[in-house]
Amino acid sequence: RTVDGHQIWERTLPQEIERVAWTRDGRHVVSVSEDAKMRVFDVSTGEVVFSFQHDNGIDGLSISHDGRFLATGQERVRGVGLARVFSVKDWKLVRTIEHPGTVNGVDFSSDDEHLAVIGDY
């Protein structure tokens, strides 16, 4: 709990967790890791409510300021990295954006009109 710092649950994942983020409504926490999986946890129970298997490790994670979208950044596969944008409402994949290398970070502009993607190119 963020109010008093009491730990409600914990999870151990098979590989290193790269990033975590809270959804804007506070109902979910999202993790991305080197096992190439994005996991969405219910904050109350710790149960996984959604997961998405990427093709390689995931280094980037960001949630839009209005809370509508979530973006991930994937390490490159055959020279191409990917940024993926998901709808937080139903966790559906909205868009995939190719990048000429690993995507180390993703971030939404303050008005959520743009997504910045950074990597090793």
Side-chain angles (χ1 to χ4, degrees):
R1 289 189 302 254
T2 57
V3 174
D4 60 10
H6 177 76
Q7 179 178 321
I8 298 173
W9 55 266
E10 71 177 53
R11 293 289 178 270
T12 301
L13 301 180
Q15 290 190 26
E16 177 184 12
I17 298 170
E18 292 288 344
R19 303 274 187 281
V20 295
W22 293 83
T23 56
R24 298 292 181 233
D25 62 9
R27 294 176 49 212
H28 300 98
V29 65
V30 182
S31 73
V32 295
S33 60
E34 284 298 317
D35 68 355
K37 191 173 271 192
M38 175 182 79
R39 293 171 178 86
V40 179
F41 299 91
D42 180 285
V43 169
S44 302
T45 65
E47 297 304 314
V48 175
V49 297
F50 177 76
S51 66
F52 187 90
Q53 185 68 47
H54 290 58
D55 304 317
N56 203 353
I58 311 166
D59 288 346
L61 175 64
S62 183
I63 295 180
S64 63
H65 297 88
D66 64 10
R68 294 176 50 219
F69 299 102
L70 175 148
T72 61
Q74 176 187 294
E75 295 175 2
R76 67 180 165 265
V77 175
R78 292 179 295 286
V80 178
L82 296 174
R84 290 184 173 92
V85 180
F86 297 84
S87 166
V88 171
K89 178 182 174 184
D90 54 14
W91 305 113
K92 289 188 179 177
L93 180 62
V94 174
R95 178 165 294 156
T96 301
I97 304 162
E98 288 190 4
H99 183 74
T102 291
V103 177
N104 295 111
V106 290
D107 198 15
F108 289 92
S109 61
S110 59
D111 62 3
D112 292 326
E113 290 294 317
H114 303 280
L115 179 68
V117 176
I118 61 169
D120 58 359
Y121 282 91

